[in-house]
Amino acid sequence: MAQQPVELILLKQWAGYLTLPVWLMDGRGNLLYYNEPAEGLLGVRFEEAGEIHADQLAEYFQTTAVDGAPFPNEKLPVVVALQQRIPNHATVRVMGFDGVWRTLAVTAFPVEGQGARHLGAVAMFWENPDS
Amino acid sequence: MKATLWGTRGSLASGGPDTVRYGGDTAAVEVRGATGEVVILDAGSGIRPIGVQLAGSPARIDILLTHLHMDHIQGLGFFAPLFDPSVEVHIWGPGSTTIGLHERLTRYLSPPLFPVMLRDLPGVTLHEIRPPASFTLGGLSVRADLITHPGPTLGFRIDSSECVLAYLPDHEPALGAVVFPDAPEWTSGCDLARGADVLIHDAQYTGEEYQSRVGWGHSTFEHALAFARLSRVKKLVTFHHDPGHSDEMLDRVMTEIRKSHELEFELVPGRVGLTVCVD
């Protein structure tokens, strides 16, 4: 497997030290890594799930608005960060691998490298943001 | 291709009786291609004697800068071919995220740090490398990519078709890794070094020294060994020796490593005058 860009390597290492749940996506929307705190929210250990292809993400993680209404995929913060290359924030309900619905605030930002290289995005999560 | 080490020291030139064999000059490696290419990796104080040796010979010299810390550019102003209008000197290096190579180099090659301005040097052409990048210099294929070190810093992989030389003189791949080494795809520099015949790599610190220097951008001897093993190189040349490490101390470390490790590659202490990658 080819080496990831050093910017993503450093972000993975950074995420590995945080108690904040973090996802790291590449520029094609593949979920390359999530840290241990994110495992608790998603209901599966990264070592078990491994890298998740962009096409599979919607199958694994169902998302709705807080009131249960459909939430457009293109408005998900991580999708906005990847496609529009701008930061974004939203509060949504997510059902992970374990079948549990959780209310999560999500902030995502794009990762832009030197030479206008769009390398991916980082998403950070807070559970039960209103509680 | 033939690569000769002229400057092996890191951070600060450290000449004196204690550094005679490993060398006191900072980073500079002369690479000669089979068809007359002259490429110099970094322009530390070790580049000055390269310039003396090259006087009047090649029509073109390419200098590849990994980054612009002083120990990698301080020799530029003392490289005689820069002042020779009959020689084309091409300087390749990284810009920062906001400032181009020209402006960054000008900060050194201008008063008060240096009396001569970059624009006054007759045959100099700058090439800003935008990583990841690939280019050719005659018969040599060069790949450059960012590696872990403070500020924009490149590693180089030079392929002569008969020998692959990887040059990562300032590199801290262990930075932040919970376990080092991680998988190759999550380790800085692995693509550049993968399967190289010769890897010239940072080995500045002992494990004890590293404890108080995490994040300074350099590796321990053990990190260099682990990185070489992970990258499956054939030969590791230790480089960027700490200014405080004497010949005697470095000899002792090499002896201890050979006693305590079963190495899958050849370990070569990076000494001034060493020639590697001879086709």
Side-chain angles (χ1 to χ4, degrees), chain A residues 3-11 23-33 78 81-83 85 109-122, chain B residues 97 131-132 145-146 186:
Chain A
Q3 183 207 307
Q4 302 293 347
V6 74
E7 295 92 335
L8 296 188
I9 291 173
L10 291 171
L11 282 167
W23 279 19
L24 180 61
M25 325 278 292
D26 69 15
R28 295 180 299 279
N30 301 313
L31 178 54
L32 296 178
Y33 172 74
V78 72
L82 284 166
Q83 293 183 348
R85 300 166 73 161
F109 61 86
V111 181
E112 304 290 322
Q114 275 183 269
R117 288 176 304 135
H118 179 49
L119 300 172
V122 171
Chain B
T97 50
D145 204 357
L146 293 169
W186 287 108

Side-chain angles (χ1 to χ4, degrees), chain A residues 17-98:
Chain A
Y17 285 91
L18 299 183
T19 56
L20 186 73
V22 174
W23 279 19
L24 180 61
M25 325 278 292
D26 69 15
R28 295 180 299 279
N30 301 313
L31 178 54
L32 296 178
Y33 172 74
Y34 53 90
N35 63 2
E36 281 187 29
E39 292 175 348
L41 297 183
L42 301 174
V44 65
R45 297 187 65 232
F46 179 73
E47 278 70 21
E48 291 172 37
E51 183 179 324
I52 301 174
H53 194 270
D55 298 340
Q56 297 172 309
L57 278 172
E59 295 171 26
Y60 291 163
F61 306 110
Q62 292 183 48
T63 308
T64 71
V66 175
D67 62 4
F71 194 89
N73 190 52
E74 65 274 15
K75 289 191 176 175
L76 287 170
V78 72
V79 176
V80 173
L82 284 166
Q83 293 183 348
Q84 300 181 39
R85 300 166 73 161
I86 55 174
N88 191 256
H89 178 85
T91 299
V92 292
R93 293 176 74 235
V94 177
M95 186 176 74
F97 279 85
D98 56 1

Side-chain angles (χ1 to χ4, degrees), chain A residues 2-4 12-13 17 114 117, chain B residues 131 175-176 182 185 190-191:
Chain A
Q3 183 207 307
Q4 302 293 347
K12 176 178 182 271
Q13 291 167 345
Y17 285 91
Q114 275 183 269
R117 288 176 304 135
Chain B
L175 179 65
D182 201 336
E185 61 268 29
C190 258
D191 268 3

Side-chain angles (χ1 to χ4, degrees), chain B residues 116-225:
Chain B
V116 180
M117 307 283 277
L118 182 58
R119 65 170 177 262
D120 295 330
L121 300 174
V124 176
T125 305
L126 299 185
H127 304 265
E128 185 166 317
I129 297 175
R130 298 176 191 280
S134 298
F135 51 95
T136 56
L137 300 172
L140 304 176
S141 299
V142 181
R143 274 177 49 200
D145 204 357
L146 293 169
I147 57 174
T148 308
H149 187 70
T153 301
L154 302 171
F156 294 113
R157 180 184 178 95
I158 303 177
D159 190 339
S160 71
S161 78
E162 291 174 335
C163 181
V164 174
L165 170 68
Y167 178 69
L168 292 82
D170 290 47
H171 189 209
E172 188 180 7
L175 179 65
V178 177
V179 178
F180 182 78
D182 201 336
E185 61 268 29
W186 287 108
T187 301
S188 163
C190 258
D191 268 3
L192 291 173
R194 183 171 289 131
D197 294 292
V198 178
L199 166 65
I200 298 175
H201 195 275
D202 191 328
Q204 179 150 353
Y205 300 134
T206 64
E208 189 180 353
E209 289 167 339
Y210 183 68
Q211 297 307 311
S212 58
R213 294 165 173 82
V214 172
W216 289 21
H218 300 290
S219 289
T220 65
F221 299 104
E222 292 290 339
H223 293 157
L225 296 174

Side-chain angles (χ1 to χ4, degrees), chain B residues 13-277:
Chain B
S14 312
D18 291 341
T19 58
V20 170
R21 285 183 292 112
Y22 282 81
D25 277 319
T26 61
V29 176
E30 176 191 8
V31 176
R32 296 285 194 128
T35 49
E37 302 86 352
V38 178
V39 177
I40 300 171
L41 304 175
D42 279 324
S45 61
I47 199 173
R48 191 198 64 80
I50 301 179
V52 173
Q53 179 221 209
L54 290 176
S57 51
R60 172 178 174 137
I61 298 168
D62 290 272
I63 300 173
L64 308 187
L65 302 175
T66 54
H67 63 307
L68 273 64
H69 285 166
M70 275 303 287
D71 54 326
H72 292 254
I73 62 169
Q74 65 194 151
L76 263 184
F78 303 90
F79 184 58
L82 280 182
F83 303 91
D84 181 347
S86 69
V87 181
E88 271 183 42
V89 179
H90 295 257
I91 301 176
W92 304 70
S96 78
T97 50
T98 56
I99 303 169
L101 176 64
H102 182 273
E103 186 178 345
R104 297 184 81 212
L105 265 183
T106 301
R107 289 180 174 180
Y108 165 49
L109 289 171
S110 63
L113 293 181
F114 197 72
V116 180
M117 307 283 277
L118 182 58
R119 65 170 177 262
D120 295 330
L121 300 174
V124 176
T125 305
L126 299 185
H127 304 265
E128 185 166 317
I129 297 175
R130 298 176 191 280
S134 298
F135 51 95
T136 56
L137 300 172
L140 304 176
S141 299
V142 181
R143 274 177 49 200
D145 204 357
L146 293 169
I147 57 174
T148 308
H149 187 70
T153 301
L154 302 171
F156 294 113
R157 180 184 178 95
I158 303 177
D159 190 339
S160 71
S161 78
E162 291 174 335
C163 181
V164 174
L165 170 68
Y167 178 69
L168 292 82
D170 290 47
H171 189 209
E172 188 180 7
L175 179 65
V178 177
V179 178
F180 182 78
D182 201 336
E185 61 268 29
W186 287 108
T187 301
S188 163
C190 258
D191 268 3
L192 291 173
R194 183 171 289 131
D197 294 292
V198 178
L199 166 65
I200 298 175
H201 195 275
D202 191 328
Q204 179 150 353
Y205 300 134
T206 64
E208 189 180 353
E209 289 167 339
Y210 183 68
Q211 297 307 311
S212 58
R213 294 165 173 82
V214 172
W216 289 21
H218 300 290
S219 289
T220 65
F221 299 104
E222 292 290 339
H223 293 157
L225 296 174
F227 180 78
R229 188 176 300 117
L230 186 70
S231 305
R232 300 180 183 279
V233 302
K234 296 183 180 71
K235 183 182 290 187
L236 167 67
V237 177
T238 56
F239 199 75
H240 210 273
H241 307 303
D242 190 86
H245 290 178
S246 66
D247 290 343
E248 185 188 347
M249 182 271 190
L250 290 168
D251 281 345
R252 197 167 57 245
V253 169
M254 291 300 139
T255 302
E256 286 168 5
I257 288 172
R258 290 195 173 101
K259 274 186 193 166
S260 58
H261 292 71
E262 280 196 23
L263 300 174
E264 303 89 338
F265 49 85
E266 184 184 355
L267 173 65
V268 180
R271 294 191 176 115
V272 66
L274 174 73
T275 296
V276 291
C277 226

